[in-house]
Amino acid sequence: SQLAEENLWALSVHEGESVTVNCSYKTSITALQWYRQKSGEGPAQLILIRSNEREKRNGRLRATLDTSSQSSSLSITATRCEDTAVYFCATDTNTGKLTFGDGTVLTVKP
Amino acid sequence: NAGVIQTPRHKVTGKGQEATLWCEPISGHSAVFWYRQTIVQGLEFLTYFRNQAPIDDSGMPKERFSAQMPNQSHSTLKIQSTQPQDSAVYLCASSLEAGAGNTLYFGEGSRLIVV
């Protein structure tokens, strides 16, 4: 999607390492959402960060939002093999629908 | 507490045939969304309903694709005269309400293969 895009197509880390997925977007947003999609499953929400928030945490996950540069990041600490998935950012506007980026494939190796 | 249920999980259809995909949203959710996922195009929005009424179908191909929500417990996506380029995973999602700041809960998807 041209409205949201992750900056790298693929990342690979070893278990226990930290990793950051970046996202840039091109529209005014009400919120930005991060989703994870494991093989054979539908996407599942990880974090929703509203436009007036700068940081949001959920366990080992931390999302940041910079509305001035229209960018967001999702950091995962102490990665596990089960974090292997495709990670999407999605712009959330007043239209009611989400527009997803192309996704970043994260592989966590033992 | 069942999630979004999509059937069939897999469907192979011949070119020119019709395909109907079903979605049962989470009970109590007022909004239902359809997305299409391919390697090339990624996750594309197709259409969504709020309280069974069609709200936005801006992503639907104008020909051959139609979606309905006859009651609050299911929605259908119908593709007439299927073409190979319709091959994709079709994902249904529901949310408690429509509008910004709502979480979408996705089903596992229906993989359509047109041969």
Side-chain angles (χ1 to χ4, degrees):
Chain A
S1 165
Q2 294 182 346
L3 293 181
E5 58 183 14
E6 295 77 7
N7 294 353
L8 282 178
W9 186 80
L11 289 169
S12 178
V13 297
H14 287 96
E15 235 183 346
E17 295 178 338
S18 298
V19 66
T20 297
V21 180
N22 294 303
C23 163
S24 57
Y25 59 90
K26 299 179 181 178
T27 186
S28 178
I29 62 170
T30 303
L32 189 129
Q33 302 194 28
W34 284 95
Y35 283 76
R36 174 171 68 189
Q37 184 176 25
K38 296 186 176 183
S39 180
E41 300 179 2
Q45 189 200 63
L46 298 174
I47 290 182
L48 183 157
I49 183 165
R50 299 184 187 277
S51 59
N52 62 351
E53 298 176 310
R54 291 297 167 257
E55 179 180 302
K56 198 83 168 280
R57 291 177 184 267
N58 179 9
R60 295 182 294 111
L61 308 176
R62 172 178 171 262
T64 65
L65 179 64
D66 184 340
T67 52
S68 62
S69 64
Q70 295 191 313
S71 64
S72 176
S73 69
L74 176 71
S75 296
I76 309 172
T77 57
T79 53
R80 305 167 182 167
C81 288
E82 52 264 38
D83 293 328
T84 293
V86 182
Y87 290 78
F88 296 94
C89 64
T91 53
D92 188 355
T93 67
N94 289 326
T95 62
K97 66 188 182 190
L98 295 183
T99 301
F100 288 82
D102 294 332
T104 293
V105 178
L106 173 65
T107 303
V108 181
K109 300 177 181 178
Chain B
N1 185 13
V4 173
I5 299 172
Q6 290 189 247
T7 54
R9 290 294 315 280
H10 302 275
K11 184 175 181 66
V12 180
T13 187
K15 180 180 174 181
Q17 299 297 304
E18 180 178 287
T20 300
L21 309 177
W22 298 71
C23 171
E24 181 181 329
I26 294 172
S27 177
H29 282 194
S30 67
V32 172
F33 301 79
W34 284 96
Y35 283 80
R36 176 170 63 181
Q37 186 172 32
T38 61
I39 297 293
V40 174
Q41 298 295 331
L43 262 169
E44 297 177 279
F45 168 81
L46 294 176
T47 186
Y48 91 92
F49 299 84
R50 181 172 58 212
N51 294 324
Q52 300 171 233
I55 301 299
D56 182 344
D57 67 352
S58 59
M60 290 279 275
K62 296 309 176 190
E63 297 179 355
R64 303 187 297 105
F65 282 64
S66 63
Q68 294 184 333
M69 191 162 185
N71 57 60
Q72 62 185 8
S73 63
H74 89 271
S75 175
T76 58
L77 179 68
K78 183 180 293 185
I79 309 171
Q80 296 178 311
S81 185
T82 53
Q83 303 296 310
Q85 61 264 31
D86 298 332
S87 296
V89 176
Y90 290 84
L91 290 159
C92 176
S94 68
S95 66
L96 192 59
E97 296 174 355
N102 282 284
T103 300
L104 265 58
Y105 295 86
F106 283 86
E108 295 182 315
S110 293
R111 180 176 295 277
L112 176 67
I113 299 173
V114 182
V115 297

